[in-house]
Amino acid sequence: KDYEKAGIIDFFKHGPEYEKLSKAIGKIISRNTIPDLTVDKSIEIILQHSNSLLVLLNKKIITMDYLYKYLHDCRLQIPQNFTKAYLIEKIMEYWASKYNQQIDVAGQDNFLPTGTEHYEQNVFDSGSTAEIKSQEDTGNYPINVMSKEFSTWFYDKLNKNNLSENDFWEDASCYLRLMFPNNVQQQQQQIEDTQTFGKTNILDFFTCFKSKYKIYFNPNVCSEGVQGRMDQHGLVCVLTCGTVHTDQSCLGIFESSFGLMRDLFSENNWKIKYLKILIRQMTVNSLPTLQNCESLQDFMTLTQSNDELL
């Protein structure tokens, strides 16, 4: 996105320590093969080889101190119990607000580093390049593209309480598990399970759930956080993970799986056959990925297909 590109440039030119950080990342990406690496060249390399803003800002080398100071200098309010995931989210919101209108008027080129040439050298070794290309190819599989679109659509509607009965099959099922520390024995997890059947009951459940807990979901829509699989029954399985928030803080993470099937009598639209959501209250230091979601590992073993979805 254009505003993300503009924000990255602003971030790495925020001051001497940020410029030094950009050079360090540029050297890592280029395997230290570029002599006299400038700040502009480093930023250009970062922009060219960073497919995801979330993944970039979540790198260990970009510590919470950099993120916090940047937001503080931009005069944005930050709660005391912040996490790295929260800081990243606030930065993305700030950039969207700051640059969207400017880019629409001025155009993308005004935000590129000045005095730099297009960087065409392959700075990755052959093994790394093959791995990155493989991830990109997999991300472009029709089932993964659809899964990303569905996850964005579903959680946006859930956050806004806009889900409708038409989004579910008549006999749809919903299973939700809450896991949070026991107030008496903090080392133990307290678990609450809820299972609901039928599209009307599912909508009623989500209405009550959102009213009670006042939380919203922030899915990790990178390829590491959203993928699709086809199960043995022919259902499209959408796997999604992300963070859970209130207005004030990040509460923890969520892991979810959906079974989708087309409805031939409803313009062949995809509808939800089942959904399972696990919410785990915990301290979040980085965005969750599917590889680290215990409840989704059985799905992750299913084969991905590059076939068109029928």
Side-chain angles (χ1 to χ4, degrees):
K1 298 177 182 179
D2 291 340
Y3 77 84
E4 293 179 353
K5 181 183 295 185
I8 290 172
I9 295 171
D10 182 65
F11 181 82
F12 286 116
K13 288 193 171 184
H14 189 61
E17 56 190 309
Y18 291 84
E19 293 179 350
K20 184 177 179 180
L21 175 65
S22 72
K23 288 184 177 181
I25 297 175
K27 288 181 179 179
I28 293 173
I29 296 176
S30 65
R31 308 292 187 186
N32 208 19
T33 59
I34 310 299
D36 301 324
L37 195 61
T38 64
V39 173
D40 284 338
K41 178 64 73 175
S42 297
I43 294 175
E44 189 176 358
I45 293 172
I46 292 170
L47 289 173
Q48 185 174 356
H49 295 283
S50 296
N51 296 324
S52 165
L53 174 62
L54 292 174
V55 173
L56 172 64
L57 294 181
N58 202 44
K59 289 183 179 296
K60 290 183 179 180
I61 193 172
I62 303 180
T63 64
M64 291 176 61
D65 291 339
Y66 287 109
L67 303 175
Y68 178 86
K69 184 178 184 302
Y70 177 81
L71 288 170
H72 177 75
D73 292 346
C74 294
R75 299 183 179 181
L76 297 176
Q77 291 186 344
I78 307 170
Q80 291 183 347
N81 57 338
F82 61 85
T83 64
K84 188 174 185 180
Y86 176 84
L87 296 178
I88 292 173
E89 182 179 343
K90 294 298 290 184
I91 287 176
M92 293 176 65
E93 291 176 355
Y94 171 65
W95 288 348
S97 173
K98 179 179 180 180
Y99 291 113
N100 256 352
Q101 188 61 39
Q102 294 185 33
I103 289 177
D104 289 340
V105 176
Q108 173 182 344
D109 293 341
N110 292 340
F111 293 95
L112 293 174
T114 57
T116 61
E117 300 176 355
H118 183 65
Y119 181 68
E120 295 181 345
Q121 180 179 355
N122 182 5
V123 297
F124 293 93
D125 59 33
S126 58
S128 298
T129 303
E131 181 179 350
I132 291 172
K133 187 176 187 304
S134 175
Q135 292 176 355
E136 291 177 349
D137 290 345
T138 303
N140 290 327
Y141 282 4
I143 195 170
N144 285 332
V145 173
M146 190 274 277
S147 295
K148 179 178 179 180
E149 293 174 351
F150 170 81
S151 297
T152 302
W153 167 85
F154 176 83
Y155 283 108
D156 180 64
K157 294 195 72 173
L158 178 59
N159 289 335
K160 296 176 180 177
N161 294 318
N162 283 338
L163 288 170
S164 70
E165 291 190 3
N166 289 332
D167 300 326
F168 299 86
W169 283 88
E170 185 73 35
D171 59 348
S173 63
C174 171
Y175 172 80
L176 186 140
R177 166 169 287 189
L178 296 175
M179 301 180 65
F180 46 91
N182 189 304
N183 291 331
V184 179
Q185 296 176 304
Q186 293 294 324
Q187 298 300 322
Q188 295 184 358
Q189 290 283 322
Q190 188 171 340
I191 298 175
E192 289 186 6
D193 289 337
T194 304
Q195 195 161 6
T196 310
F197 299 94
K199 58 184 182 181
T200 302
N201 293 333
I202 292 174
L203 288 180
D204 291 342
F205 165 73
F206 275 125
T207 299
C208 295
F209 176 80
K210 291 292 299 301
S211 176
K212 178 179 180 181
Y213 292 100
K214 295 179 173 59
I215 63 174
Y216 67 93
F217 296 81
N218 178 37
N220 177 6
V221 293
C222 303
S223 58
E224 299 90 348
V226 178
Q227 293 182 22
R229 297 290 193 275
M230 190 74 72
D231 75 0
Q232 63 271 29
H233 304 295
L235 291 179
V236 170
C237 301
V238 176
L239 314 176
T240 313
C241 62
T243 50
V244 184
H245 303 257
T246 65
D247 290 337
Q248 301 297 325
S249 63
C250 176
L251 294 180
I253 67 169
F254 74 89
E255 306 170 10
S256 62
S257 61
F258 300 82
L260 306 182
M261 188 169 64
R262 288 191 186 275
D263 186 351
L264 299 178
F265 300 99
S266 181
E267 300 181 352
N268 210 30
N269 289 326
W270 294 100
K271 289 188 176 182
I272 300 169
K273 191 71 172 177
Y274 73 80
L275 66 153
K276 299 178 181 179
I277 302 177
L278 181 149
I279 300 174
R280 191 191 309 270
Q281 184 178 352
M282 59 184 293
T283 300
V284 180
N285 295 317
S286 61
L287 286 172
T289 63
L290 294 175
Q291 292 294 339
N292 296 326
C293 294
E294 295 180 6
S295 68
L296 302 179
Q297 291 312 300
D298 287 344
F299 291 102
M300 293 294 289
T301 61
L302 298 174
T303 303
Q304 290 195 75
S305 172
N306 194 21
D307 296 335
E308 292 292 334
L309 298 174
L310 301 178

